[in-house]
């Protein structure tokens, strides 16, 4: 326990997944608020790092406020933010067709993305809870015509209440891939890109960063790829069976973030 306590107290930045880690839909997990307050008491920075691109930063701040979780824009970084930065860096001034929510559209507009639904250079797919068939059809048309295929995240499902799941961005991309044969480049977790961006921005080396999440194939793999310390919680999608079946193992497995408090006090 002493070694684990020493390790966790040496962490300079906690990156926290949200769905399945801190809450499920609108239900806050037991101990999540105490865990966040413990980080605040220790003056340890924390950032909610989510692949869910269906909401923008303002939406998430409002949700945190509803759930009484301390958090501002500075405590949030989404795959939508990462996509905006990626587009600006790699495809400046290129035209984009978006398969995504109005919230993701608003988020990308902040990065001055040039949207075009007639002759785009790039198709960007996010977790679109406003999806319709027309969007899918147009995305396929543009990809068949040579557009670049990018997506915010590879999550196949998103957890909701009553232990149910709904299709996430990865599942939507699979439909498009089945129709076109084109495979997207994913910008969110498990790519380490989001962690690298925050590491550079906050001047904290990745080995002093902890990635906490409930999915081995996104959260834990992103942390592993970035050489961060990885903590898998069993409050969401992953089970011991899925962890044991994975080639990539977390550094620490706990039932929930509540179990981390004893090591941080």
């Amino acid at each position: 326990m002493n070694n684990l306590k020493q390790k966790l107290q040496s962490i300079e930045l906690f990156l926290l997944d949200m769905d399945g880690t801190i809450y499920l839909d609108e239900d806050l997990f037991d101990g999540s608020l105490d865990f966040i307050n413990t980080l605040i008491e220790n003056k340890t920075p924390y950032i909610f790092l989510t692949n869910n691109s269906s909401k923008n930063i303002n939406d998430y701040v409002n949700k945190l406020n509803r759930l009484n979780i301390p958090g501002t824009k500075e405590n949030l970084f989404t795959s939508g933010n990462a996509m905006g930065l990626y587009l600006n860096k790699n495809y400046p001034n290129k035209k984009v067709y978006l398969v995504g929510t109005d919230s993701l559209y608003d988020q990308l507009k902040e990065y001055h993305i040039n949207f075009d639904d007639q002759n785009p250079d790039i198709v960007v797919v996010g977790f679109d809870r406003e999806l319709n068939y027309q969007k899918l059809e147009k995305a396929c048309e543009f990809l068949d015509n040579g557009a670049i295929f990018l997506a915010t995240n590879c999550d196949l499902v998103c957890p909701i209440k009553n232990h149910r799941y709904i299709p996430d961005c990865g599942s939507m991309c699979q439909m498009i891939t089945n129709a076109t044969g084109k495979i997207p480049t994913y910008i969110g977790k498990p790519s380490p890109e989001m962690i690298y961006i925050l590491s550079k921005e906050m001047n904290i080396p990745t080995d002093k960063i902890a990635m906490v999440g409930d999915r081995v194939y996104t959260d834990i793999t992103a942390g592993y790829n970035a050489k961060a310390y990885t903590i898998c919680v069993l409050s969401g999608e992953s089970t011991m069976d899925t962890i044991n079946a994975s080639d990539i193992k977390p550094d620490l497995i706990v039932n929930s973030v509540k179990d981390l408090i004893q090591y941080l006090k």
Side-chain angles (χ1 to χ4, degrees):
M1 178 172 175
N2 288 337
N3 288 341
L4 183 54
K5 189 168 187 175
Q6 185 178 17
K7 177 62 182 179
L8 291 181
Q9 291 188 357
S10 73
I11 296 297
E12 297 178 12
L13 172 64
F14 278 83
L15 299 179
L16 309 173
D17 178 56
M18 302 178 80
D19 294 298
T21 300
I22 299 298
Y23 56 69
L24 189 61
D25 203 1
E26 293 290 327
D27 296 326
L28 193 63
F29 288 136
D30 179 42
S32 290
L33 187 55
D34 291 337
F35 170 67
I36 299 298
N37 284 331
T38 299
L39 294 179
I40 293 172
E41 289 168 11
N42 291 353
K43 297 181 180 179
T44 304
Y46 62 94
I47 293 177
F48 295 107
L49 192 71
T50 179
N51 262 359
N52 189 336
S53 60
S54 67
K55 301 180 179 69
N56 61 37
I57 291 293
N58 291 326
D59 295 327
Y60 276 116
V61 170
N62 291 335
K63 180 164 187 174
L64 293 178
N65 290 339
R66 285 199 308 274
L67 297 175
N68 295 317
I69 301 174
T72 65
K73 290 184 177 181
E74 286 69 34
N75 298 108
L76 284 156
F77 193 69
T78 75
S79 60
N81 293 110
M83 179 62 75
L85 291 169
Y86 185 88
L87 289 168
N88 282 343
K89 179 181 177 182
N90 297 282
Y91 300 105
N93 303 317
K94 294 293 186 180
K95 296 177 291 183
V96 171
Y97 177 71
L98 176 66
V99 179
T101 60
D102 289 342
S103 288
L104 178 57
Y105 176 86
D106 291 340
Q107 185 77 73
L108 293 177
K109 285 292 283 187
E110 294 185 10
Y111 293 91
H112 308 291
I113 302 304
N114 181 18
F115 292 101
D116 188 321
D117 62 359
Q118 299 298 321
N119 188 32
D121 305 296
I122 302 167
V123 170
V124 171
V125 178
F127 175 29
D128 190 358
R129 299 188 75 164
E130 300 156 9
L131 184 66
N132 58 48
Y133 207 84
Q134 183 182 22
K135 290 183 182 181
L136 291 173
E137 194 167 357
K138 294 189 80 168
C140 291
E141 176 190 347
F142 298 142
L143 291 171
D144 286 336
N145 289 339
I148 296 164
F149 192 5
L150 301 178
T152 57
N153 59 296
C154 69
D155 301 60
L156 296 174
V157 295
C158 178
I160 57 174
K161 287 182 179 180
N162 301 321
H163 304 287
R164 292 175 53 233
Y165 296 91
I166 57 175
D168 206 322
C169 181
S171 294
M172 297 170 189
C173 287
Q174 282 187 356
M175 288 194 293
I176 296 172
T177 296
N178 289 341
T180 66
K182 306 295 177 60
I183 299 173
T185 297
Y186 292 104
I187 306 306
K189 301 173 287 187
S191 166
E193 188 68 24
M194 295 170 77
I195 299 177
Y196 288 154
I197 290 170
L198 294 172
S199 172
K200 183 178 181 180
E201 185 177 287
M202 301 183 71
N203 196 28
I204 297 174
T206 58
D207 63 357
K208 291 293 184 180
I209 295 174
M211 179 68 235
V212 185
D214 69 304
R215 298 181 181 188
V216 175
Y217 70 94
T218 55
D219 305 314
I220 303 308
T221 301
Y224 176 88
N225 289 337
K227 295 181 171 56
Y229 187 75
T230 55
I231 303 172
C232 187
V233 294
L234 301 177
S235 52
E237 185 176 334
S238 288
T239 64
M240 287 306 303
D241 287 340
T242 57
I243 293 171
N244 290 333
S246 172
D247 292 333
I248 293 175
K249 310 295 185 187
D251 294 302
L252 177 63
I253 303 168
V254 293
N255 288 320
S256 72
V257 292
K258 182 179 181 179
D259 296 334
L260 298 175
I261 297 172
Q262 60 183 315
Y263 304 109
L264 296 170
K265 289 288 188 180

